[in-house]
């Protein structure tokens, strides 16, 4: 990941402002956690960084490049949703490969990267299973692998 910056980010839903001129800087290789009560805007911040939600004002920079107007599929940002959002009809491997397929990565490269990522999260042997055949913790690791593989 490259240096991430949110500069003066503001977001409102109707009359309710959930983000008030947020400034955040996360250096390359740095770990950051967003903490706060329900409704404080944590998910909104992540959705704005990923491009899943538009901001009302401010900038999002990744690696020094302003990305607020870049569509989600071109940002190279992965998100792990709280509910994991796994596709129940797809195998574990196909869930992990989903982002690579949409980016038109070759099948050989998809297989290699998916295998590497499944090994990284310790679930290589489960590549052919469906998400419903896995424990909650295993599902969480599949969601993480899907976000990281891109």
């Amino acid at each position: 990941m490259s240096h991430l910056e949110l500069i003066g980010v503001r977001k409102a839903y109707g009359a309710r402002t959930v983000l008030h001129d947020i400034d955040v800087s996360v250096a390359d290789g740095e770990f950051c956690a967003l903490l706060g009560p329900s409704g404080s805007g944590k998910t909104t911040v992540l959705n704005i960084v990923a491009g899943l939600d538009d901001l009302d004002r401010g900038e999002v920079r990744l690696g020094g490049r302003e990305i607020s107007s870049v569509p989600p599929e071109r940002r190279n940002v992965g998100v792990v949703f709280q509910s994991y959002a796994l596709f129940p009809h797809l195998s574990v491997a196909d869930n992990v490969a989903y982002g690579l397929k949409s980016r038109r990565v070759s099948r050989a490269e998809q297989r290699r990267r998916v295998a590497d990522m499944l090994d990284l999260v310790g679930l290589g042997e489960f590549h052919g299973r469906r998400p419903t055949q896995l424990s909650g913790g295993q599902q969480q690791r599949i969601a993480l692998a899907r976000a990281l593989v891109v």
Side-chain angles (χ1 to χ4, degrees):
M1 180 174 157
S2 297
H3 184 207
L4 173 67
E5 292 178 283
L6 281 74
I7 304 164
V9 171
R10 182 183 196 285
K11 177 66 181 177
Y13 295 103
R16 184 167 186 259
T17 300
V18 294
L19 300 177
H20 301 266
D21 299 319
I22 300 295
D23 292 313
V24 175
S25 181
V26 182
D28 190 22
E30 187 175 37
F31 181 82
C32 175
L34 299 175
L35 302 173
S38 293
S40 64
K42 302 177 300 290
T43 300
T44 300
V45 168
L46 297 176
N47 285 339
I48 286 172
V49 170
L52 303 175
D53 208 348
D54 294 325
L55 49 86
D56 296 334
R57 183 173 66 215
E59 293 183 28
V60 177
R61 295 184 161 281
L62 187 60
R65 180 175 163 236
E66 213 287 325
I67 63 168
S68 300
S69 62
V70 175
E73 67 273 12
R74 299 196 54 227
R75 290 190 185 198
N76 217 18
V77 172
V79 177
V80 178
F81 295 96
Q82 187 171 355
S83 64
Y84 314 136
L86 298 175
F87 300 110
H89 65 289
L90 296 179
S91 70
V92 164
D94 287 339
N95 264 281
V96 175
Y98 185 80
L100 298 173
K101 288 178 184 177
S102 67
R103 287 169 172 79
R104 297 185 180 0
V105 173
S106 73
R107 286 185 187 210
E109 180 69 8
Q110 284 180 38
R111 281 192 297 275
R112 184 191 66 74
R113 289 172 65 177
V114 167
D116 288 348
M117 194 54 60
L118 287 175
D119 286 343
L120 179 70
V121 298
L123 294 173
E125 64 196 66
F126 297 102
H127 68 278
R129 291 195 186 173
R130 301 270 189 245
T132 56
Q133 296 174 301
L134 303 175
S135 71
Q138 291 168 326
Q139 289 178 24
Q140 187 175 39
R141 287 187 279 159
I142 296 305
L144 181 61
R146 184 179 59 195
L148 292 174
V149 77
V150 296

